[in-house]
């Protein structure tokens, strides 16, 4: 749209005519006609730009009075978002699901994109979470963040429980084997 209507001078190659042509114009508040024309076009472009932005990006450009300010903030956000996405994708489950979710949420709050949050969240989980990932990915609509977190917390609880049972079972089996070995030794020694 910007190239189509040759509006680059409003956002990229900024050319703003002087507000007043002379000091007398400033005193009498006689605004330069070129500036007035520029301002009308700039405000039209400003509204057009703002109307195409998502809520999360729009909140980042609040306070912009001119289209070039919106343009600069969008590009600044894109650069920052690229960096945040990269950092977010590097997060993996190391200790608890709670710690993992907190790290991802911190980045998510800065990015504010639900689908991307879910994608990155699932990418960082280890293979123990494959059943939960499959359930989430099979849904027609991506579940809410709270729903996904509930699934992950539930799965972590089950994993902890199963691991504890496996250790107990392994210890009992080891104790049984060691006891049996001792009994065999005692019988062969006599």
């Amino acid at each position: 749209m910007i190239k189509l209507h040759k509006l680059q001078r409003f956002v990229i190659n900024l050319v703003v005519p002087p507000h007043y042509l002379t000091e007398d114009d400033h005193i009498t508040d006689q605004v330069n006609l070129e500036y007035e024309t520029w301002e009308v076009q700039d405000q039209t472009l400003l509204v057009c730009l703002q109307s195409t932005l998502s809520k999360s990006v729009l909140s980042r450009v609040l306070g912009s009075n001119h289209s070039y300010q919106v343009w600069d903030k969008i590009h600044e956000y894109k650069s920052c978002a690229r960096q945040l996405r990269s950092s977010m994708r590097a997060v993996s489950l190391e200790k608890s699901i709670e710690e993992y979710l907190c790290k991802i949420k911190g980045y998510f709050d800065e990015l504010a994109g639900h689908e991307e949050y879910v994608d990155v969240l699932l990418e960082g989980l280890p293979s123990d979470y494959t059943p939960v990932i499959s359930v989430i990915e099979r849904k027609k609509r991506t579940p809410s963040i709270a729903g996904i977190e509930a699934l992950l917390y539930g799965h972590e609880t089950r994993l902890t429980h199963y691991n504890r049972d496996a250790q107990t079972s392994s210890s009992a089996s080891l104790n049984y084997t060691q006891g049996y070995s001792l009994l065999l030794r005692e019988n062969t020694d006599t």
Side-chain angles (χ1 to χ4, degrees):
M1 177 180 92
I2 291 173
K3 281 186 180 180
L4 177 68
H5 295 287
K6 299 183 179 180
L7 300 172
Q8 295 94 326
R9 64 192 168 100
F10 291 92
V11 292
I12 300 168
N13 302 322
L14 186 61
V15 178
V16 182
H19 199 103
Y20 303 104
L21 292 176
T22 66
E23 189 61 39
D24 288 338
D25 289 347
H26 189 280
I27 294 169
T28 60
D29 198 28
Q30 184 67 34
V31 178
N32 177 4
L33 285 175
E34 279 186 58
Y35 180 82
E36 285 182 337
T37 303
W38 176 87
E39 189 174 40
V40 168
Q41 291 175 324
D42 178 66
Q43 293 305 297
T44 304
L45 180 56
L46 175 68
V47 170
C48 287
L49 285 173
Q50 290 174 332
S51 70
T52 63
L53 300 176
S54 67
K55 287 181 184 178
S56 62
V57 176
L58 186 58
S59 68
R60 295 175 186 281
V61 300
L62 289 177
S64 299
N65 297 317
H66 298 286
S67 56
Y68 72 88
Q69 293 169 324
V70 169
W71 189 262
D72 289 346
K73 287 180 182 179
I74 289 169
H75 284 280
E76 189 177 296
Y77 170 72
K78 280 179 149 181
S79 175
C80 179
R82 207 173 296 116
Q83 214 171 15
L84 285 170
R85 282 186 198 101
S86 176
S87 296
M88 192 164 49
R89 284 192 169 89
V91 174
S92 62
L93 180 66
E94 293 171 9
K95 293 182 182 173
S96 71
I97 250 324
E98 185 171 1
E99 180 185 322
Y100 175 72
L101 291 172
C102 283
K103 283 181 184 177
I104 296 289
K105 265 187 189 177
Y107 290 121
F108 168 70
D109 288 344
E110 291 184 56
L111 280 172
H114 179 73
E115 294 292 323
E116 186 165 9
Y117 171 76
V118 172
D119 290 344
V120 171
L121 184 76
L122 299 180
E123 283 176 24
L125 293 170
S127 61
D128 292 352
Y129 285 80
T130 301
V132 178
I133 294 168
S134 296
V135 167
I136 294 167
E137 288 179 341
R138 273 193 242 132
K139 298 213 179 265
K140 287 183 181 178
R141 280 187 36 218
T142 304
S144 69
I145 304 276
I148 290 171
E149 288 177 355
L151 287 170
L152 293 173
Y153 280 124
H155 191 72
E156 181 183 51
T157 301
R158 282 188 292 285
L159 282 175
T160 303
H161 176 73
Y162 293 145
N163 287 340
R164 200 175 311 124
D165 284 353
Q167 287 174 349
T168 303
S169 173
S170 176
S171 295
S173 179
L174 184 61
N175 287 342
Y176 177 77
T177 305
Q178 287 174 342
Y180 186 70
S181 296
L182 273 172
L183 186 62
L184 280 176
R185 257 190 254 145
E186 287 175 3
N187 286 337
T188 53
D189 288 343
T190 54

